[in-house]
Amino acid sequence: MNLSERDRLYNWHPYTQHKTAADFPAIVKGSGALLWDENDKEYIDAIASWWVNPYGHSNKIIADAIYDQLTTLEHVLFGGFTHDKAVLLAEKLMEILPDNQKKLFYSDNGSTAVEVALKSALQYFYNKGIPKTKIIAFKDAFHGDTFGAMASSGITFFTEAFKGSLLEVIRIPVPTIGNEEQSINALKDLVATNDFAAFIFEPLVQGAAGMVIYSPDALDEMIAVCQQNNVFTIADEVMTGFGKTGKTFATDYLANKPDMMCLSKALTGGTIPMAITTFSQDIFDGFFDDDTNKALFHGHTFTANPTGCAAALASISLLQSEEMQKNIVRINQSHLVFEKRIQLHPKVKTTRVLGVIFALEIKTENQESYYGTMRNTLYNFFIENGIILRPVGNIVYILPPYVITDEQLEKVYDAVGKALEIV
Ligand SMILES: *Cc1c(COP(=O)(O)O)cnc(C)c1O
């Protein structure tokens, strides 16, 4: 049996109906934007392996930083101790985060970063004896798969089975073009009730919804509404962070800064699972007390893992390099040229570009479901052609590693063009 066949015996994959799924390619090697399977078939990773890998697979600089750290201090508990890499990483992030972010809390993945943000918002008001127990989120949001994160997520078939066991989250429309006023008014109505501790959102781009993009102006106004009404704002930058939108953070497009931010995915360049929730001073101060019970009693065993911190430090230096900054601009410009070319295609409904993100909606007669037939046809077509793209319903998006070459990018565009002919 080859690896693909052996995999089937024991491994349970995410978001997978194993009864109907074919064997999965077994990837044995990666370099830059490329991956190779056990049969030596080459793939272009045009979604940076779920948005985690901007600097390329098996990046030597990050690998060396990890190796050095592993052979110096692989891990020490962060409860009661600290270490040089956690201090250095905190200092580095303070240089690049919005000025109002003053404290960092480490965890393991995007969902836990969101849990920590939600729990701090809720406990902040609990500590003060103020009854604010509900959360506001956007329709079709995605914030992760643990319970709090799932409650905040609005892609219903992800969460349907757990409806009865979730935190109370009220959803408002996304302020896409033409819907700004409706969205802002819905927010105003909710905050007026004084029941809400926080408003969580994916700033400017809703990734899992299919790269739905909305304007910073509307979000700025929404943050202002929350600030005036004592509702915390949580920018979930798990997908958008570290250059994807063309700036370091999507919040860099905003005049009003959120109270909390969630970071993960590209934080460690796609190497070690790690996440960070960042806070304004005001939130931290809501826990700062002589009373021990007012502390944030949350923690994960691998909190601030030194190896993860070392990987993050190396990743941020890479992001700041002239080469990566140029790559981001190059990919953006090339997306804009492709957009011009493809948007006139009779099967294309809409296109959108922000930073290194490109998305295209295919015209359909029916509402295509998230993992529906059209999506599967497209997905299989791309895999057959050695391109990793994971369409969402009728939406095809590209979010490549920043190191993808022009030639590889052309191959991806070409495959997208051809895919339009088969659906
Ligand atoms: C992927 C994602 C998450 C969840 O991160 P995990 O590491 O998969 O738990 C949360 N929020 C956003 C915006 C994401 O894209």
Side-chain angles (χ1 to χ4, degrees):
M1 281 199 288
N2 64 16
L3 285 173
S4 289
E5 289 156 353
R6 281 157 60 196
D7 180 77
R8 249 190 198 279
L9 296 179
Y10 303 115
N11 287 334
W12 192 342
H13 287 257
Y15 309 116
T16 300
Q17 175 48 267
H18 279 284
K19 187 163 186 189
T20 48
D23 285 345
F24 294 152
I27 302 298
V28 293
K29 208 177 116 175
S31 174
L34 298 177
L35 294 166
W36 290 271
D37 73 13
E38 62 181 328
N39 303 315
D40 256 350
K41 178 171 169 171
E42 185 178 285
Y43 301 83
I44 299 173
D45 185 358
I47 55 165
S49 280
W50 264 342
W51 325 334
V52 300
N53 194 313
Y55 319 113
H57 288 283
S58 313
N59 182 287
K60 177 97 171 67
I61 291 170
I62 307 176
D64 285 346
I66 291 174
Y67 182 81
D68 285 348
Q69 191 58 42
L70 280 176
T71 46
T72 309
L73 172 69
E74 84 304 344
H75 185 63
V76 62
L77 68 167
F78 208 55
F81 292 90
T82 190
H83 55 81
D84 61 341
K85 294 305 183 299
V87 174
L88 289 170
L89 179 56
E91 290 168 353
K92 187 79 200 170
L93 282 167
M94 285 304 152
E95 283 170 25
I96 62 173
L97 282 163
D99 284 345
N100 72 335
Q101 297 301 296
K102 300 291 186 203
K103 298 285 173 185
L104 311 178
F105 193 97
Y106 296 88
S107 64
D108 306 327
N109 57 68
S111 304
T112 55
V114 167
E115 297 292 331
V116 170
L118 295 172
K119 282 178 74 175
S120 349
L122 294 168
Q123 192 184 335
Y124 176 96
F125 292 111
Y126 176 85
N127 280 355
K128 290 190 188 306
I130 301 170
K132 279 173 173 269
T133 55
K134 298 184 198 170
I135 303 292
I136 303 168
F138 279 137
K139 281 191 178 136
D140 295 329
F142 182 73
H143 297 293
D145 287 339
T146 54
F147 269 78
M150 180 170 62
S152 318
S153 297
I155 301 171
T156 46
F157 75 90
F158 280 54
T159 56
E160 193 65 17
F162 313 98
K163 256 193 333 214
S165 330
L166 297 175
L167 197 66
E168 198 169 344
V169 178
I170 308 295
R171 254 160 250 298
I172 58 173
V174 187
T176 43
I177 297 170
N179 297 313
E180 294 92 340
E181 221 178 282
Q182 191 200 1
S183 179
I184 294 164
N185 288 338
L187 179 70
K188 283 183 178 161
D189 289 347
L190 290 181
V191 298
T193 65
N194 286 324
D195 292 338
F196 293 90
F199 167 38
I200 184 168
F201 50 84
E202 296 159 88
L204 308 196
V205 191
Q206 292 189 296
M211 303 297 158
V212 171
I213 295 176
Y214 61 93
S215 89
D217 295 347
L219 189 55
D220 257 330
E221 197 172 333
M222 297 174 94
I223 292 175
V225 166
C226 288
Q227 282 167 347
Q228 287 149 17
N229 289 277
N230 214 10
V231 172
F232 287 126
T233 49
I234 305 170
D236 177 353
E237 293 240 22
V238 169
M239 188 284 282
T240 49
F242 304 103
K244 311 248 182 63
T245 63
K247 297 198 186 217
T248 304
F249 300 107
T251 22
D252 294 341
Y253 286 93
L254 301 173
N256 296 329
K257 304 301 178 187
D259 302 290
M260 292 179 241
M261 289 169 66
C262 305
L263 311 174
S264 188
K265 292 206 165 116
L267 171 64
T268 60
T271 56
I272 310 255
M274 196 168 86
I276 296 180
T277 311
T278 73
F279 302 93
S280 65
Q281 188 67 41
D282 176 32
I283 296 178
F284 183 77
D285 289 347
F287 293 76
F288 195 76
D289 201 280
D290 292 324
D291 183 355
T292 309
N293 293 329
K294 291 200 168 161
L296 179 61
F297 280 100
H298 185 103
H300 298 281
T301 312
F302 280 99
T303 293
N305 171 253
T307 313
C309 292
L313 277 164
S315 299
I316 295 170
S317 322
L318 280 169
L319 174 68
Q320 291 180 319
S321 70
E322 202 187 320
E323 183 199 341
M324 289 306 161
Q325 290 298 318
K326 277 190 179 154
N327 280 338
I328 292 170
V329 174
R330 171 180 61 91
I331 294 167
N332 175 257
Q333 285 170 350
S334 143
H335 280 347
L336 291 170
V337 172
F338 176 58
E339 182 182 41
K340 269 228 163 86
R341 174 155 44 108
I342 201 81
Q343 68 193 357
L344 302 172
H345 192 288
K347 287 206 183 130
V348 172
K349 187 171 157 207
T350 56
T351 54
R352 42 190 180 258
V353 173
L354 182 66
V356 303
I357 303 166
F358 169 91
L360 166 165
E361 263 180 67
I362 299 173
K363 272 187 198 153
T364 54
E365 315 248 296
N366 318 311
Q367 175 81 20
E368 287 295 326
S369 71
Y370 204 89
Y371 282 119
T373 315
M374 176 184 273
R375 179 267 176 202
N376 291 340
T377 306
L378 290 165
Y379 180 81
N380 294 333
F381 172 82
F382 292 128
I383 290 293
E384 273 161 32
N385 286 281
I387 311 276
I388 303 178
L389 287 173
R390 284 178 69 93
V392 167
N394 61 325
I395 300 166
V396 178
Y397 73 84
I398 307 170
L399 199 169
Y402 306 159
V403 295
I404 193 168
T405 65
D406 286 335
E407 198 194 343
Q408 291 161 348
L409 205 46
E410 263 325 304
K411 278 191 194 164
V412 177
Y413 295 149
D414 193 49
V416 172
K418 286 190 177 129
L420 293 176
E421 307 307 326
I422 62 150
V423 289

